[in-house]
Each structure stands twice: as C-alpha cells, then as structure tokens.
C-alpha cells in the first residue's frame, strides 16, 4: 500500500468506443442528453487523420463531471448542483491512438496517454473535429504502467493461488530508473539520510528505485536539481520488497 501512489503515476492505455449523434452533460452515455443531431460517420481515412491529429502534447479541458477541485469543491459536486464553472486547460500527452473498428454510429479505438488524461474530453474534442456531437459509450483501462489487463487475475484466483498471482513490489516501479548502492550507503538511506548522487544529471527531479548490494529494493529516492545528493522519498525499513 505504501507504493500505490507510484503505481498510478505512469502512462495508461484504454480501449474506447465513441458514439456519434448526441452529447450528454457527463460526456458519456450515462448522462442526460443535452444535444442531438443527425450525423454521417466520416470515412475511415478521415477518422484516421482526425485521431492522429491528437498525437503528442495537447491541451485538454477537464469535464465538469470530474473530481478536480475548484475552491474546495469537486467539479462533479458543482455539476450536480447545476453549476458550470470555467476550467483551466491541462497539458497531457497522447502517445498512441489507433482506430480499430468503424460502425455506422460508433468507432472503437485504443489510446495510450499520460496520467491525468480525460478520455471523455478526448472524445468530445474528436467530435468537435468531425463536427458532430459525441459521447464516450464504452471504456476499459487495459494497462497502467507495467500492469496489463491480459495479466490480470480475479480476487478468487488470487485467493486460490497467491504465490502464483502476486508480484514483487518493484514490478510496479519498473518505469523508474534503477540504481544500486553499497551496504554502507544503503544503511544510511534506510535511516532517512541523503546519499551521494551516483546518477546522470539527466535524471534530476526523477524518482529512482534504490537497491542495496544484494539487489533488494530499499526504497524510492529523488535527485534534486543542482544538488549532488539523492533524497529519500519512501524508505522500506525492513529492506524487503
């Protein structure tokens, strides 16, 4: 549980269905319809071009029905009270976006994106580019960092064979650079002390996996910019992953 915050602090992948012809107050098909219009689905080539236009770093407006707080109130609380407020754009990154299937009124696509990306907002923006109101009609998260849905187990399967289904903690941290330290430095780190920065300058501000001389995960550190030390961020006192 001490590592949960780092398991979601990475890229994610989704499978998405977008349906054309109407839009809702929530951005998905569970909301109240606010607009509808007869639309013709663009050609596959046109859709491919529209989807590819979102690749890279983009600015995105979060939906009203989201957990972002403004002046201490969550947006979805304001939305349920009938209040709409201006939302600041957020910068997110779309790493991959691939069209899978085109139907008369819907499309299916896969997207890999940075944390903080709102897929409902992405669907809305796609709709704006094809000049048609749309909703997100299906969504499943297929990957978070190194965890893929094809490797998932049910709670029953985990209970029946925990040794087979459970993974070491550092499996969730593989996206972080790894460094190994001597026994003496590992002892200092586990006591919450800063340790020498034996890592390239390019890794400034990046979270790091710290291992001892026996290749056991002892915690997470961070090299601050313009400092020649690594600061302990999370320490596993027992030295066990």
């Amino acid at each position: 549980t001490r590592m949960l915050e780092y398991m979601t602090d990475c890229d994610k992948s989704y499978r998405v269905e977008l349906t054309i012809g109407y839009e809702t107050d929530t951005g998905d098909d569970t909301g109240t319809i606010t607009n509808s219009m007869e639309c013709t689905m663009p050609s596959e080539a046109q859709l491919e071009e529209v989807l590819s236009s979102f690749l890279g770093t983009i600015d995105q407006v979060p939906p009203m029905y989201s957990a972002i707080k403004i002046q201490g109130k969550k947006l979805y609380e304001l939305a349920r009270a009938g209040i709409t407020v201006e939302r600041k754009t957020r910068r997110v990154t779309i790493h991959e976006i691939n069209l899978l299937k085109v139907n008369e009124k819907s499309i299916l696509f896969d997207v890999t994106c940075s944390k903080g990306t709102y897929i409902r907002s992405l669907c809305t923006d796609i709709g704006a580019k094809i000049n048609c109101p749309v909703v997100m009609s299906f969504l499943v998260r297929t990957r978070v960092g190194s965890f893929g849905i094809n490797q998932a187990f049910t709670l029953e399967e985990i209970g029946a064979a925990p040794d087979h289904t459970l993974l070491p903690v550092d499996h969730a941290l593989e996206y972080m650079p790894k460094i190994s330290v001597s026994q003496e430095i590992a002892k200092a780190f586990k006591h919450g002390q800063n340790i020498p920065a034996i890592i390239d300058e390019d890794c400034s501000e990046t979270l790091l996996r710290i291992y001892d001389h026996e290749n056991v995960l002892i915690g997470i550190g961070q090299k601050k910019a313009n400092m020649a030390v690594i600061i302990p961020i999370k320490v596993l006192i027992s030295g066990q992953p």
Side-chain angles (χ1 to χ4, degrees):
T1 55
R2 298 186 66 215
M3 297 296 167
L4 281 175
E5 63 188 282
Y6 305 109
M7 296 182 189
T8 57
D9 191 22
C10 48
D11 294 342
K12 299 172 176 65
S13 297
Y14 299 89
R15 179 152 294 180
V16 190
E17 183 185 68
L18 174 153
T19 296
I20 67 172
Y22 71 102
E23 59 190 6
T24 68
D25 55 354
T26 60
D28 59 24
D29 60 355
T30 67
T32 301
I33 296 176
T34 57
N35 182 31
S36 62
M37 185 175 73
E38 282 297 323
C39 295
T40 301
M41 181 67 74
S43 68
E44 187 170 328
Q46 290 173 319
L47 289 168
E48 293 272 13
E49 184 177 354
V50 168
L51 292 183
S52 65
S53 70
F54 289 94
L55 284 169
T57 301
I58 62 173
D59 289 325
Q60 189 180 76
V61 178
M64 273 301 302
Y65 279 85
S66 61
I68 295 173
K69 286 188 177 181
I70 292 184
Q71 296 181 347
K73 285 282 189 179
K74 292 181 179 179
L75 283 177
Y76 69 77
E77 294 174 337
L78 296 174
R80 288 171 181 168
I83 301 170
T84 300
V85 297
E86 184 177 352
R87 287 93 71 201
K88 292 182 179 179
T89 60
R90 298 172 59 158
R91 187 147 289 186
V92 298
T93 302
I94 306 297
H95 299 292
E96 291 183 44
I97 187 164
N98 300 303
L99 183 64
L100 301 177
K101 188 177 182 180
V102 181
N103 296 316
E104 182 181 358
K105 292 296 182 182
S106 66
I107 65 171
L108 191 70
F109 64 94
D110 283 343
V111 59
T112 296
C113 53
S114 62
K115 69 169 184 174
T117 302
Y118 283 95
I119 304 302
R120 282 174 293 150
S121 293
L122 176 62
C123 288
T124 298
D125 292 341
I126 292 171
K129 286 206 172 187
I130 63 175
N131 298 312
C132 184
V134 305
V135 295
M136 183 189 75
S137 48
F138 170 80
L139 178 71
V140 61
R141 185 179 291 168
T142 57
R143 184 184 63 83
V144 178
S146 58
F147 294 95
I149 196 171
N150 60 331
Q151 302 165 313
F153 294 95
T154 65
L155 289 175
E156 290 75 17
E157 289 171 331
I158 295 173
D163 292 340
H164 174 65
T165 55
L166 298 183
L167 297 167
V169 169
D170 54 353
H171 179 83
L173 310 177
E174 288 180 349
Y175 66 96
M176 298 181 187
K178 171 184 176 180
I179 64 170
S180 297
V181 298
S182 68
Q183 185 174 6
E184 182 180 358
I185 292 178
K187 183 178 180 180
F189 182 89
K190 287 193 285 185
H191 280 86
Q193 299 173 21
N194 295 342
I195 62 174
I198 48 175
I199 196 162
D200 295 336
E201 288 297 323
D202 291 344
C203 287
S204 293
E205 304 296 331
T206 299
L207 293 175
L208 309 164
R209 291 179 287 155
I210 313 297
Y211 290 76
D212 66 11
H213 63 293
E214 295 180 334
N215 201 36
V216 172
L217 178 70
I218 59 173
I220 295 172
Q222 186 176 44
K223 181 185 179 299
K224 291 293 186 179
N226 304 317
M227 294 179 66
V229 296
I230 293 173
I231 300 170
I233 300 298
K234 189 86 70 171
V235 177
L236 300 176
I237 300 296
S238 66
Q240 294 300 319

